[in-house]
Amino acid sequence: MAAVVRMPALAAGATEAAVQSWLVAVGDSVAAGQEIVEIETEKAVVEYEAEEAGVVAALLVDAGAAVAVGAPIAVLAAPGQSADDAIAEAGVAPSAAAPVVAAPEAPAAASTPAAAASAVPETPAPAAPAPAPAPVPVPAEGARLFASPLVRRLARERGIDLSHIAGSGPHGRIVRRDLDALPEPSETAPARVPSPEQAAAYTDIPHTGMRRAIARRLTESVTTVPHFFLSADCRVDEVLALRARINERGAVKISVNDFVLKAVAAAMLDVPEANAIWTEEATRRFTTVDVGVAVSIPGGLVTPVLRGVEGLTLSAISSGVRDLAEKARAGRLKQRELEGGSFAVSNLGMYGTSRFSAIINPPHSGILAVGAAERRAVVEGETLVPATVMSVTLSADHRVLDGALAAQWLAAFTERIENPLSLLV
């Protein structure tokens, strides 16, 4: 039986996404779980996997084109089934491969509004023959630019004026490969976006897709998740001393945050009731500890998930976090690396922040905000002594974690981070 691959909802609340590039071609055999297409979301390029096996009968969306979530993007034939039969069974005409795309509007003189709104024209419009490799002209001044949200964000970050770029996607759409093909700034003069009003008292920075996604998700969190907060001061002199000894000999350099992640996982094993999330039907409790790590990227942040932290060594945690951070900043995270987990960690200590509280990233039930390790005076018996103290704040979802349970977990975390040798056995 033929299978229709549809544009997945890779970001909460997203209504469309763009195909960055196809990883398979018509006629290729595909296994369940195989990556078949790279999809641009508001925050990253995600490699999407086939949910079932088959043979690629048709690719319905050109690279660089955007379609609505749920729209068909490919057809997979069953073993032994012809491509024509699979396409017919899927209800997609063979000529519909390109027009099924919810493509960007053509220039004003190219079509009428009715024609632009038509997803699949019944009869292809005749066209004069033209050389296939003819270049797409650079948009004229004042013309509308066609580019995905990710391309627009990357252009802003790199200081590139998209009006000087010839898009290679459908209808001249500018896709990521067009930006990646540009020479480095040292090779030629870059096209910089001029400041429209240098003498103005303010400048409006247009919202990117990522900023809108962050605003939508965090507003949803604070308005639908009942947050409460608990804080603790942790003495980390032993962590710093152990880290220094490990880094003297180890090939992989360990950070304080690696100890924090390991202590979070150990505390979840100590208090397993806290390793859970809220669903509409039940409280879902996990047996492994998957922890989201907040990563700052240009224009926003993402929270990729490190899996099975309870079974990882400190060096494996360090390597895993570094790999996720590099992928996040390059926009190459896979969808499965952005999903799952019951908890997250946000560390602003490297910026000198002493203490802060963080907003929960649903469906997680908690997030630990980690401040800087600072020298402070603490009381031991009747004496003030110097110590290195790190303040942490737990933001908890009261639907899952009651006050006593959250306090129990925070006490377990504090015990683990203050006695780091317990994390190595």
Side-chain angles (χ1 to χ4, degrees):
M1 181 175 181
V4 177
V5 181
R6 299 183 180 276
M7 177 61 76
L10 298 178
T15 58
E16 71 167 20
V19 171
Q20 164 76 4
S21 62
W22 286 102
L23 305 179
V24 294
V26 172
D28 288 353
S29 295
V30 172
Q34 178 180 339
E35 295 163 351
I36 61 172
V37 62
E38 292 181 326
I39 297 173
E40 291 184 9
T41 69
E42 294 167 313
K43 291 192 175 184
V45 173
V46 176
E47 294 177 351
Y48 183 67
E49 300 174 351
E51 296 182 357
E52 51 189 289
V55 177
V56 180
L59 302 178
L60 307 179
V61 176
D62 293 331
V67 298
V69 169
I73 60 175
V75 176
L76 300 181
Q81 186 180 32
S82 70
D84 289 343
D85 289 345
I87 293 169
E89 182 183 337
V92 179
S95 62
V100 94
V101 179
E105 299 174 19
S111 64
T112 65
S118 175
V120 185
E122 295 182 2
T123 305
V136 177
V138 175
E141 185 176 354
R144 181 173 177 183
L145 292 170
F146 302 117
S148 69
L150 180 66
V151 166
R152 292 179 184 274
R153 173 172 68 81
L154 293 175
R156 275 189 291 271
E157 293 167 4
R158 300 177 188 179
I160 297 171
D161 186 349
L162 291 178
S163 66
H164 292 79
I165 306 300
S168 61
H171 303 277
R173 186 181 184 90
I174 302 170
V175 295
R176 181 169 180 169
R177 62 173 175 266
D178 298 324
L179 299 188
D180 293 340
L182 294 176
E184 293 296 324
S186 58
E187 301 175 25
T188 186
R192 295 288 172 182
V193 180
S195 174
E197 297 178 329
Q198 303 223 344
Y202 64 87
T203 301
D204 286 339
I205 308 300
H207 296 313
T208 63
M210 176 177 290
R211 280 257 66 90
R212 292 185 186 279
I214 292 171
R216 182 178 64 248
R217 291 280 290 162
L218 297 187
T219 300
E220 174 191 349
S221 177
V222 297
T223 56
T224 63
V225 176
H227 287 59
F228 71 99
F229 308 93
L230 299 175
S231 296
D233 292 329
C234 310
R235 294 183 62 169
V236 292
D237 297 278
E238 290 192 24
V239 162
L240 297 178
L242 180 57
R243 172 177 174 262
R245 291 199 297 272
I246 292 174
N247 287 343
E248 284 177 0
R249 299 175 177 269
V252 177
K253 299 304 179 185
I254 306 301
S255 70
V256 172
N257 201 54
D258 299 328
F259 280 96
V260 169
L261 291 170
K262 187 66 176 177
V264 164
M268 289 296 183
L269 297 182
D270 295 338
V271 188
E273 298 86 355
N275 190 21
I277 63 172
W278 174 267
T279 73
E280 292 304 318
E281 295 76 26
T283 296
R284 180 173 299 163
R285 189 175 296 170
F286 298 96
T287 55
T288 60
V289 185
D290 300 337
V291 182
V293 183
V295 176
S296 176
I297 62 177
L301 76 157
V302 291
T303 311
V305 177
L306 189 64
R307 311 284 178 182
V309 181
E310 80 285 356
L312 298 179
T313 63
L314 288 168
S315 59
I317 291 173
S318 179
S319 299
V321 171
R322 187 178 300 110
D323 179 61
L324 290 173
E326 289 173 355
K327 287 183 178 180
R329 293 179 182 122
R332 306 300 300 178
L333 285 169
K334 298 179 181 179
Q335 181 63 17
R336 63 175 176 269
E337 294 170 326
L338 291 166
E339 295 178 333
S342 63
F343 197 84
V345 170
S346 178
N347 192 334
L348 295 181
M350 67 285 295
Y351 299 106
T353 301
S354 296
R355 185 190 301 266
F356 70 104
S357 57
I359 300 174
I360 296 169
N361 182 32
H364 296 165
S365 62
I367 182 169
L368 189 70
V370 181
E374 302 172 324
R375 294 294 287 175
R376 302 180 195 171
V378 300
V379 177
E380 281 189 358
E382 299 297 324
T383 307
L384 281 177
V385 297
T388 307
V389 179
M390 181 180 71
S391 295
V392 297
T393 301
L394 170 64
S395 304
D397 181 348
H398 215 321
R399 297 173 302 177
V400 181
L401 304 176
D402 292 326
L405 179 60
Q408 186 182 354
W409 182 89
L410 189 57
F413 170 83
T414 302
E415 175 68 20
R416 289 288 194 165
I417 200 71
E418 291 189 339
N419 297 279
L421 286 176
S422 69
L423 303 175
L424 306 182
V425 295

